[in-house]
PDB file of all heavy atoms in Angstrom:
ATOM      1  N   TYR A  19      16.568 -18.530   2.905  1.00 97.00           N
ATOM      2  CA  TYR A  19      15.633 -19.149   1.951  1.00 97.00           C
ATOM      3  C   TYR A  19      14.392 -19.664   2.672  1.00 97.00           C
ATOM      4  O   TYR A  19      13.266 -19.461   2.205  1.00 97.00           O
ATOM      5  CB  TYR A  19      16.320 -20.292   1.197  1.00 97.00           C
ATOM      6  CG  TYR A  19      15.407 -21.017   0.242  1.00 97.00           C
ATOM      7  CD1 TYR A  19      14.979 -20.411  -0.932  1.00 97.00           C
ATOM      8  CD2 TYR A  19      14.961 -22.301   0.515  1.00 97.00           C
ATOM      9  CE1 TYR A  19      14.123 -21.069  -1.815  1.00 97.00           C
ATOM     10  CE2 TYR A  19      14.104 -22.972  -0.358  1.00 97.00           C
ATOM     11  CZ  TYR A  19      13.701 -22.345  -1.519  1.00 97.00           C
ATOM     12  OH  TYR A  19      12.851 -23.003  -2.375  1.00 97.00           O
ATOM     13  N   TRP A  20      14.577 -20.319   3.819  1.00 97.00           N
ATOM     14  CA  TRP A  20      13.438 -20.834   4.571  1.00 97.00           C
ATOM     15  C   TRP A  20      12.530 -19.697   5.039  1.00 97.00           C
ATOM     16  O   TRP A  20      11.295 -19.784   4.928  1.00 97.00           O
ATOM     17  CB  TRP A  20      13.928 -21.643   5.776  1.00 97.00           C
ATOM     18  CG  TRP A  20      12.796 -22.139   6.631  1.00 97.00           C
ATOM     19  CD1 TRP A  20      12.032 -23.247   6.438  1.00 97.00           C
ATOM     20  CD2 TRP A  20      12.294 -21.510   7.827  1.00 97.00           C
ATOM     21  NE1 TRP A  20      11.082 -23.365   7.416  1.00 97.00           N
ATOM     22  CE2 TRP A  20      11.209 -22.319   8.287  1.00 97.00           C
ATOM     23  CE3 TRP A  20      12.652 -20.375   8.543  1.00 97.00           C
ATOM     24  CZ2 TRP A  20      10.500 -21.995   9.441  1.00 97.00           C
ATOM     25  CZ3 TRP A  20      11.934 -20.051   9.686  1.00 97.00           C
ATOM     26  CH2 TRP A  20      10.880 -20.855  10.123  1.00 97.00           C
ATOM     27  N   ILE A  21      13.119 -18.613   5.515  1.00 97.00           N
ATOM     28  CA  ILE A  21      12.317 -17.469   5.982  1.00 97.00           C
ATOM     29  C   ILE A  21      11.541 -16.846   4.830  1.00 97.00           C
ATOM     30  O   ILE A  21      10.346 -16.541   4.953  1.00 97.00           O
ATOM     31  CB  ILE A  21      13.233 -16.417   6.647  1.00 97.00           C
ATOM     32  CG1 ILE A  21      13.852 -16.976   7.926  1.00 97.00           C
ATOM     33  CG2 ILE A  21      12.456 -15.141   6.956  1.00 97.00           C
ATOM     34  CD1 ILE A  21      14.897 -16.067   8.550  1.00 97.00           C
ATOM     35  N   LEU A  22      12.204 -16.668   3.703  1.00 96.00           N
ATOM     36  CA  LEU A  22      11.545 -16.054   2.546  1.00 96.00           C
ATOM     37  C   LEU A  22      10.409 -16.920   2.021  1.00 96.00           C
ATOM     38  O   LEU A  22       9.350 -16.411   1.636  1.00 96.00           O
ATOM     39  CB  LEU A  22      12.576 -15.802   1.441  1.00 96.00           C
ATOM     40  CG  LEU A  22      13.578 -14.676   1.719  1.00 96.00           C
ATOM     41  CD1 LEU A  22      14.749 -14.751   0.756  1.00 96.00           C
ATOM     42  CD2 LEU A  22      12.889 -13.312   1.622  1.00 96.00           C
ATOM     43  N   ARG A  23      10.597 -18.224   1.994  1.00 94.00           N
ATOM     44  CA  ARG A  23       9.550 -19.123   1.518  1.00 94.00           C
ATOM     45  C   ARG A  23       8.391 -19.201   2.508  1.00 94.00           C
ATOM     46  O   ARG A  23       7.245 -19.440   2.120  1.00 94.00           O
ATOM     47  CB  ARG A  23      10.125 -20.527   1.286  1.00 94.00           C
ATOM     48  CG  ARG A  23      11.020 -20.637   0.083  1.00 94.00           C
ATOM     49  CD  ARG A  23      10.267 -20.367  -1.204  1.00 94.00           C
ATOM     50  NE  ARG A  23       9.142 -21.289  -1.360  1.00 94.00           N
ATOM     51  CZ  ARG A  23       8.015 -20.995  -2.012  1.00 94.00           C
ATOM     52  NH1 ARG A  23       7.855 -19.799  -2.548  1.00 94.00           N
ATOM     53  NH2 ARG A  23       7.054 -21.891  -2.122  1.00 94.00           N
ATOM     54  N   THR A  24       8.673 -19.001   3.790  1.00 95.00           N
ATOM     55  CA  THR A  24       7.640 -19.133   4.819  1.00 95.00           C
ATOM     56  C   THR A  24       6.831 -17.856   4.993  1.00 95.00           C
ATOM     57  O   THR A  24       5.604 -17.915   5.186  1.00 95.00           O
ATOM     58  CB  THR A  24       8.276 -19.522   6.172  1.00 95.00           C
ATOM     59  OG1 THR A  24       9.042 -20.722   6.010  1.00 95.00           O
ATOM     60  CG2 THR A  24       7.204 -19.750   7.237  1.00 95.00           C
ATOM     61  N   PHE A  25       7.488 -16.703   4.894  1.00 94.00           N
ATOM     62  CA  PHE A  25       6.820 -15.462   5.286  1.00 94.00           C
ATOM     63  C   PHE A  25       6.610 -14.468   4.144  1.00 94.00           C
ATOM     64  O   PHE A  25       6.038 -13.393   4.380  1.00 94.00           O
ATOM     65  CB  PHE A  25       7.620 -14.781   6.405  1.00 94.00           C
ATOM     66  CG  PHE A  25       7.714 -15.590   7.656  1.00 94.00           C
ATOM     67  CD1 PHE A  25       8.880 -16.278   7.970  1.00 94.00           C
ATOM     68  CD2 PHE A  25       6.635 -15.696   8.520  1.00 94.00           C
ATOM     69  CE1 PHE A  25       8.983 -17.026   9.124  1.00 94.00           C
ATOM     70  CE2 PHE A  25       6.715 -16.444   9.679  1.00 94.00           C
ATOM     71  CZ  PHE A  25       7.891 -17.119   9.986  1.00 94.00           C
ATOM     72  N   THR A  26       7.061 -14.749   2.932  1.00 92.00           N
ATOM     73  CA  THR A  26       6.855 -13.817   1.826  1.00 92.00           C
ATOM     74  C   THR A  26       6.151 -14.511   0.664  1.00 92.00           C
ATOM     75  O   THR A  26       5.973 -15.726   0.669  1.00 92.00           O
ATOM     76  CB  THR A  26       8.192 -13.230   1.324  1.00 92.00           C
ATOM     77  OG1 THR A  26       8.922 -14.246   0.614  1.00 92.00           O
ATOM     78  CG2 THR A  26       9.038 -12.718   2.475  1.00 92.00           C
ATOM     79  N   ARG A  27       5.792 -13.711  -0.329  1.00 88.00           N
ATOM     80  CA  ARG A  27       5.091 -14.232  -1.505  1.00 88.00           C
ATOM     81  C   ARG A  27       6.013 -14.439  -2.704  1.00 88.00           C
ATOM     82  O   ARG A  27       5.548 -14.590  -3.829  1.00 88.00           O
ATOM     83  CB  ARG A  27       3.964 -13.265  -1.903  1.00 88.00           C
ATOM     84  CG  ARG A  27       2.916 -13.043  -0.821  1.00 88.00           C
ATOM     85  CD  ARG A  27       1.922 -11.980  -1.236  1.00 88.00           C
ATOM     86  NE  ARG A  27       2.577 -10.677  -1.401  1.00 88.00           N
ATOM     87  CZ  ARG A  27       1.947  -9.589  -1.857  1.00 88.00           C
ATOM     88  NH1 ARG A  27       0.686  -9.658  -2.203  1.00 88.00           N
ATOM     89  NH2 ARG A  27       2.604  -8.450  -1.974  1.00 88.00           N
ATOM     90  N   LEU A  28       7.307 -14.447  -2.479  1.00 91.00           N
ATOM     91  CA  LEU A  28       8.256 -14.592  -3.579  1.00 91.00           C
ATOM     92  C   LEU A  28       8.156 -15.969  -4.230  1.00 91.00           C
ATOM     93  O   LEU A  28       7.862 -16.972  -3.560  1.00 91.00           O
ATOM     94  CB  LEU A  28       9.687 -14.398  -3.080  1.00 91.00           C
ATOM     95  CG  LEU A  28      10.102 -13.011  -2.577  1.00 91.00           C
ATOM     96  CD1 LEU A  28      11.568 -13.025  -2.196  1.00 91.00           C
ATOM     97  CD2 LEU A  28       9.833 -11.945  -3.626  1.00 91.00           C
ATOM     98  N   ARG A  29       8.425 -16.007  -5.520  1.00 92.00           N
ATOM     99  CA  ARG A  29       8.576 -17.293  -6.201  1.00 92.00           C
ATOM    100  C   ARG A  29       9.789 -18.014  -5.630  1.00 92.00           C
ATOM    101  O   ARG A  29      10.691 -17.390  -5.057  1.00 92.00           O
ATOM    102  CB  ARG A  29       8.778 -17.084  -7.708  1.00 92.00           C
ATOM    103  CG  ARG A  29       7.658 -16.376  -8.422  1.00 92.00           C
ATOM    104  CD  ARG A  29       7.971 -16.280  -9.917  1.00 92.00           C
ATOM    105  NE  ARG A  29       9.257 -15.647 -10.171  1.00 92.00           N
ATOM    106  CZ  ARG A  29       9.905 -15.704 -11.326  1.00 92.00           C
ATOM    107  NH1 ARG A  29       9.395 -16.391 -12.340  1.00 92.00           N
ATOM    108  NH2 ARG A  29      11.068 -15.101 -11.472  1.00 92.00           N
ATOM    109  N   LYS A  30       9.816 -19.329  -5.805  1.00 93.00           N
ATOM    110  CA  LYS A  30      10.926 -20.109  -5.259  1.00 93.00           C
ATOM    111  C   LYS A  30      12.261 -19.652  -5.830  1.00 93.00           C
ATOM    112  O   LYS A  30      13.257 -19.545  -5.107  1.00 93.00           O
ATOM    113  CB  LYS A  30      10.712 -21.601  -5.539  1.00 93.00           C
ATOM    114  CG  LYS A  30       9.637 -22.244  -4.676  1.00 93.00           C
ATOM    115  CD  LYS A  30       9.583 -23.751  -4.920  1.00 93.00           C
ATOM    116  CE  LYS A  30       8.563 -24.406  -4.000  1.00 93.00           C
ATOM    117  NZ  LYS A  30       8.505 -25.880  -4.198  1.00 93.00           N
ATOM    118  N   VAL A  31      12.307 -19.378  -7.137  1.00 93.00           N
ATOM    119  CA  VAL A  31      13.570 -18.995  -7.763  1.00 93.00           C
ATOM    120  C   VAL A  31      14.038 -17.642  -7.245  1.00 93.00           C
ATOM    121  O   VAL A  31      15.235 -17.416  -7.027  1.00 93.00           O
ATOM    122  CB  VAL A  31      13.445 -18.996  -9.305  1.00 93.00           C
ATOM    123  CG1 VAL A  31      12.509 -17.890  -9.793  1.00 93.00           C
ATOM    124  CG2 VAL A  31      14.820 -18.857  -9.950  1.00 93.00           C
ATOM    125  N   ASP A  32      13.102 -16.708  -7.013  1.00 94.00           N
ATOM    126  CA  ASP A  32      13.472 -15.406  -6.473  1.00 94.00           C
ATOM    127  C   ASP A  32      13.910 -15.520  -5.013  1.00 94.00           C
ATOM    128  O   ASP A  32      14.848 -14.846  -4.582  1.00 94.00           O
ATOM    129  CB  ASP A  32      12.307 -14.425  -6.606  1.00 94.00           C
ATOM    130  CG  ASP A  32      12.005 -14.073  -8.054  1.00 94.00           C
ATOM    131  OD1 ASP A  32      12.962 -14.002  -8.848  1.00 94.00           O
ATOM    132  OD2 ASP A  32      10.828 -13.880  -8.396  1.00 94.00           O
ATOM    133  N   ALA A  33      13.221 -16.383  -4.251  1.00 95.00           N
ATOM    134  CA  ALA A  33      13.614 -16.600  -2.860  1.00 95.00           C
ATOM    135  C   ALA A  33      15.015 -17.184  -2.781  1.00 95.00           C
ATOM    136  O   ALA A  33      15.827 -16.790  -1.929  1.00 95.00           O
ATOM    137  CB  ALA A  33      12.610 -17.521  -2.163  1.00 95.00           C
ATOM    138  N   ALA A  34      15.335 -18.116  -3.671  1.00 95.00           N
ATOM    139  CA  ALA A  34      16.665 -18.722  -3.687  1.00 95.00           C
ATOM    140  C   ALA A  34      17.733 -17.690  -4.043  1.00 95.00           C
ATOM    141  O   ALA A  34      18.822 -17.662  -3.449  1.00 95.00           O
ATOM    142  CB  ALA A  34      16.703 -19.879  -4.676  1.00 95.00           C
ATOM    143  N   THR A  35      17.422 -16.832  -5.005  1.00 95.00           N
ATOM    144  CA  THR A  35      18.397 -15.813  -5.418  1.00 95.00           C
ATOM    145  C   THR A  35      18.630 -14.795  -4.314  1.00 95.00           C
ATOM    146  O   THR A  35      19.774 -14.440  -4.013  1.00 95.00           O
ATOM    147  CB  THR A  35      17.898 -15.099  -6.687  1.00 95.00           C
ATOM    148  OG1 THR A  35      17.593 -16.076  -7.690  1.00 95.00           O
ATOM    149  CG2 THR A  35      18.951 -14.157  -7.226  1.00 95.00           C
ATOM    150  N   VAL A  36      17.551 -14.321  -3.695  1.00 96.00           N
ATOM    151  CA  VAL A  36      17.681 -13.360  -2.594  1.00 96.00           C
ATOM    152  C   VAL A  36      18.448 -13.998  -1.436  1.00 96.00           C
ATOM    153  O   VAL A  36      19.306 -13.364  -0.812  1.00 96.00           O
ATOM    154  CB  VAL A  36      16.301 -12.867  -2.133  1.00 96.00           C
ATOM    155  CG1 VAL A  36      16.433 -12.004  -0.883  1.00 96.00           C
ATOM    156  CG2 VAL A  36      15.618 -12.075  -3.236  1.00 96.00           C
ATOM    157  N   ALA A  37      18.157 -15.266  -1.146  1.00 96.00           N
ATOM    158  CA  ALA A  37      18.874 -15.973  -0.082  1.00 96.00           C
ATOM    159  C   ALA A  37      20.364 -16.029  -0.381  1.00 96.00           C
ATOM    160  O   ALA A  37      21.206 -15.902   0.517  1.00 96.00           O
ATOM    161  CB  ALA A  37      18.315 -17.380   0.082  1.00 96.00           C
ATOM    162  N   GLY A  38      20.715 -16.205  -1.660  1.00 95.00           N
ATOM    163  CA  GLY A  38      22.121 -16.193  -2.048  1.00 95.00           C
ATOM    164  C   GLY A  38      22.776 -14.851  -1.770  1.00 95.00           C
ATOM    165  O   GLY A  38      23.920 -14.788  -1.312  1.00 95.00           O
ATOM    166  N   TYR A  39      22.058 -13.763  -2.039  1.00 95.00           N
ATOM    167  CA  TYR A  39      22.583 -12.428  -1.750  1.00 95.00           C
ATOM    168  C   TYR A  39      22.891 -12.283  -0.262  1.00 95.00           C
ATOM    169  O   TYR A  39      23.924 -11.723   0.117  1.00 95.00           O
ATOM    170  CB  TYR A  39      21.559 -11.371  -2.162  1.00 95.00           C
ATOM    171  CG  TYR A  39      21.586 -10.992  -3.623  1.00 95.00           C
ATOM    172  CD1 TYR A  39      21.337 -11.919  -4.627  1.00 95.00           C
ATOM    173  CD2 TYR A  39      21.852  -9.691  -4.023  1.00 95.00           C
ATOM    174  CE1 TYR A  39      21.347 -11.582  -5.962  1.00 95.00           C
ATOM    175  CE2 TYR A  39      21.868  -9.324  -5.366  1.00 95.00           C
ATOM    176  CZ  TYR A  39      21.618 -10.286  -6.332  1.00 95.00           C
ATOM    177  OH  TYR A  39      21.640  -9.939  -7.668  1.00 95.00           O
ATOM    178  N   TYR A  40      21.974 -12.781   0.594  1.00 96.00           N
ATOM    179  CA  TYR A  40      22.151 -12.620   2.044  1.00 96.00           C
ATOM    180  C   TYR A  40      23.121 -13.650   2.624  1.00 96.00           C
ATOM    181  O   TYR A  40      23.650 -13.446   3.717  1.00 96.00           O
ATOM    182  CB  TYR A  40      20.792 -12.692   2.752  1.00 96.00           C
ATOM    183  CG  TYR A  40      20.035 -11.390   2.637  1.00 96.00           C
ATOM    184  CD1 TYR A  40      19.289 -11.107   1.491  1.00 96.00           C
ATOM    185  CD2 TYR A  40      20.106 -10.432   3.629  1.00 96.00           C
ATOM    186  CE1 TYR A  40      18.614  -9.901   1.356  1.00 96.00           C
ATOM    187  CE2 TYR A  40      19.441  -9.218   3.505  1.00 96.00           C
ATOM    188  CZ  TYR A  40      18.697  -8.961   2.363  1.00 96.00           C
ATOM    189  OH  TYR A  40      18.054  -7.750   2.233  1.00 96.00           O
ATOM    190  N   GLY A  41      23.363 -14.739   1.908  1.00 95.00           N
ATOM    191  CA  GLY A  41      24.377 -15.692   2.334  1.00 95.00           C
ATOM    192  C   GLY A  41      25.772 -15.284   1.931  1.00 95.00           C
ATOM    193  O   GLY A  41      26.750 -15.937   2.291  1.00 95.00           O
ATOM    194  N   SER A  42      25.862 -14.187   1.190  1.00 93.00           N
ATOM    195  CA  SER A  42      27.155 -13.623   0.819  1.00 93.00           C
ATOM    196  C   SER A  42      27.436 -12.425   1.728  1.00 93.00           C
ATOM    197  O   SER A  42      26.850 -12.302   2.795  1.00 93.00           O
ATOM    198  CB  SER A  42      27.129 -13.229  -0.660  1.00 93.00           C
ATOM    199  OG  SER A  42      28.372 -12.747  -1.087  1.00 93.00           O
ATOM    200  N   ASP A  43      28.315 -11.530   1.331  1.00 92.00           N
ATOM    201  CA  ASP A  43      28.577 -10.334   2.123  1.00 92.00           C
ATOM    202  C   ASP A  43      28.685  -9.126   1.211  1.00 92.00           C
ATOM    203  O   ASP A  43      28.537  -9.241  -0.006  1.00 92.00           O
ATOM    204  CB  ASP A  43      29.843 -10.498   2.972  1.00 92.00           C
ATOM    205  CG  ASP A  43      31.067 -10.864   2.143  1.00 92.00           C
ATOM    206  OD1 ASP A  43      31.188 -10.370   1.009  1.00 92.00           O
ATOM    207  OD2 ASP A  43      31.905 -11.650   2.612  1.00 92.00           O
ATOM    208  N   SER A  44      28.908  -7.974   1.803  1.00 91.00           N
ATOM    209  CA  SER A  44      28.908  -6.719   1.056  1.00 91.00           C
ATOM    210  C   SER A  44      30.215  -5.973   1.287  1.00 91.00           C
ATOM    211  O   SER A  44      30.522  -5.576   2.420  1.00 91.00           O
ATOM    212  CB  SER A  44      27.729  -5.849   1.504  1.00 91.00           C
ATOM    213  OG  SER A  44      27.891  -4.504   1.092  1.00 91.00           O
ATOM    214  N   ALA A  45      30.975  -5.793   0.222  1.00 89.00           N
ATOM    215  CA  ALA A  45      32.232  -5.049   0.330  1.00 89.00           C
ATOM    216  C   ALA A  45      31.974  -3.597   0.720  1.00 89.00           C
ATOM    217  O   ALA A  45      32.730  -3.004   1.497  1.00 89.00           O
ATOM    218  CB  ALA A  45      32.993  -5.105  -0.988  1.00 89.00           C
ATOM    219  N   GLY A  46      30.889  -3.015   0.206  1.00 90.00           N
ATOM    220  CA  GLY A  46      30.563  -1.633   0.527  1.00 90.00           C
ATOM    221  C   GLY A  46      30.258  -1.440   1.999  1.00 90.00           C
ATOM    222  O   GLY A  46      30.712  -0.472   2.625  1.00 90.00           O
ATOM    223  N   THR A  47      29.480  -2.353   2.577  1.00 93.00           N
ATOM    224  CA  THR A  47      29.169  -2.264   4.009  1.00 93.00           C
ATOM    225  C   THR A  47      30.429  -2.498   4.834  1.00 93.00           C
ATOM    226  O   THR A  47      30.635  -1.850   5.871  1.00 93.00           O
ATOM    227  CB  THR A  47      28.094  -3.304   4.385  1.00 93.00           C
ATOM    228  OG1 THR A  47      27.011  -3.222   3.449  1.00 93.00           O
ATOM    229  CG2 THR A  47      27.560  -3.047   5.771  1.00 93.00           C
ATOM    230  N   PHE A  48      31.259  -3.420   4.388  1.00 94.00           N
ATOM    231  CA  PHE A  48      32.504  -3.713   5.109  1.00 94.00           C
ATOM    232  C   PHE A  48      33.414  -2.495   5.160  1.00 94.00           C
ATOM    233  O   PHE A  48      33.924  -2.134   6.228  1.00 94.00           O
ATOM    234  CB  PHE A  48      33.210  -4.893   4.444  1.00 94.00           C
ATOM    235  CG  PHE A  48      34.445  -5.356   5.162  1.00 94.00           C
ATOM    236  CD1 PHE A  48      34.365  -6.307   6.166  1.00 94.00           C
ATOM    237  CD2 PHE A  48      35.697  -4.855   4.840  1.00 94.00           C
ATOM    238  CE1 PHE A  48      35.495  -6.746   6.839  1.00 94.00           C
ATOM    239  CE2 PHE A  48      36.835  -5.285   5.495  1.00 94.00           C
ATOM    240  CZ  PHE A  48      36.733  -6.231   6.497  1.00 94.00           C
ATOM    241  N   VAL A  49      33.616  -1.859   4.008  1.00 91.00           N
ATOM    242  CA  VAL A  49      34.527  -0.704   3.986  1.00 91.00           C
ATOM    243  C   VAL A  49      33.940   0.452   4.789  1.00 91.00           C
ATOM    244  O   VAL A  49      34.686   1.229   5.414  1.00 91.00           O
ATOM    245  CB  VAL A  49      34.851  -0.255   2.543  1.00 91.00           C
ATOM    246  CG1 VAL A  49      35.574  -1.345   1.790  1.00 91.00           C
ATOM    247  CG2 VAL A  49      33.617   0.182   1.795  1.00 91.00           C
ATOM    248  N   THR A  50      32.619   0.592   4.788  1.00 92.00           N
ATOM    249  CA  THR A  50      31.990   1.632   5.602  1.00 92.00           C
ATOM    250  C   THR A  50      32.226   1.365   7.079  1.00 92.00           C
ATOM    251  O   THR A  50      32.540   2.278   7.856  1.00 92.00           O
ATOM    252  CB  THR A  50      30.489   1.707   5.326  1.00 92.00           C
ATOM    253  OG1 THR A  50      30.264   1.921   3.927  1.00 92.00           O
ATOM    254  CG2 THR A  50      29.848   2.847   6.111  1.00 92.00           C
ATOM    255  N   CYS A  51      32.081   0.100   7.474  1.00 93.00           N
ATOM    256  CA  CYS A  51      32.322  -0.274   8.870  1.00 93.00           C
ATOM    257  C   CYS A  51      33.784  -0.032   9.252  1.00 93.00           C
ATOM    258  O   CYS A  51      34.067   0.454  10.357  1.00 93.00           O
ATOM    259  CB  CYS A  51      31.942  -1.738   9.105  1.00 93.00           C
ATOM    260  SG  CYS A  51      31.968  -2.254  10.825  1.00 93.00           S
ATOM    261  N   VAL A  52      34.695  -0.356   8.354  1.00 92.00           N
ATOM    262  CA  VAL A  52      36.115  -0.086   8.606  1.00 92.00           C
ATOM    263  C   VAL A  52      36.336   1.410   8.839  1.00 92.00           C
ATOM    264  O   VAL A  52      37.065   1.821   9.745  1.00 92.00           O
ATOM    265  CB  VAL A  52      36.980  -0.583   7.427  1.00 92.00           C
ATOM    266  CG1 VAL A  52      38.405  -0.047   7.536  1.00 92.00           C
ATOM    267  CG2 VAL A  52      37.002  -2.102   7.387  1.00 92.00           C
ATOM    268  N   GLY A  53      35.671   2.233   8.009  1.00 90.00           N
ATOM    269  CA  GLY A  53      35.796   3.675   8.166  1.00 90.00           C
ATOM    270  C   GLY A  53      35.250   4.158   9.499  1.00 90.00           C
ATOM    271  O   GLY A  53      35.849   5.021  10.155  1.00 90.00           O
ATOM    272  N   VAL A  54      34.111   3.619   9.922  1.00 90.00           N
ATOM    273  CA  VAL A  54      33.506   4.000  11.205  1.00 90.00           C
ATOM    274  C   VAL A  54      34.411   3.588  12.364  1.00 90.00           C
ATOM    275  O   VAL A  54      34.638   4.357  13.306  1.00 90.00           O
ATOM    276  CB  VAL A  54      32.108   3.371  11.354  1.00 90.00           C
ATOM    277  CG1 VAL A  54      31.572   3.561  12.770  1.00 90.00           C
ATOM    278  CG2 VAL A  54      31.140   3.981  10.340  1.00 90.00           C
ATOM    279  N   LEU A  55      34.946   2.370  12.301  1.00 92.00           N
ATOM    280  CA  LEU A  55      35.826   1.890  13.364  1.00 92.00           C
ATOM    281  C   LEU A  55      37.099   2.725  13.445  1.00 92.00           C
ATOM    282  O   LEU A  55      37.568   3.053  14.543  1.00 92.00           O
ATOM    283  CB  LEU A  55      36.177   0.416  13.130  1.00 92.00           C
ATOM    284  CG  LEU A  55      35.014  -0.590  13.207  1.00 92.00           C
ATOM    285  CD1 LEU A  55      35.496  -1.991  12.857  1.00 92.00           C
ATOM    286  CD2 LEU A  55      34.370  -0.583  14.582  1.00 92.00           C
TER     287      LEU A  55
END
């Protein structure tokens, strides 16, 4: 959230939502990594 508010033009509400996405994780990326390993 701090990076998005400092370096992008996003509205505060959009920055907060995007920050929430990146503060979570991705099941799709995880399963892909499991497959690669």
Side-chain angles (χ1 to χ4, degrees):
Y19 177 71
W20 177 83
I21 294 173
L22 289 165
R23 288 296 302 150
T24 304
F25 298 103
T26 72
R27 300 174 296 175
L28 293 183
R29 300 182 305 164
K30 286 186 177 181
V31 67
D32 292 325
T35 307
V36 173
Y39 277 61
Y40 281 83
S42 183
D43 55 36
S44 164
T47 311
F48 185 88
V49 297
T50 304
C51 188
V52 168
V54 170
L55 295 176

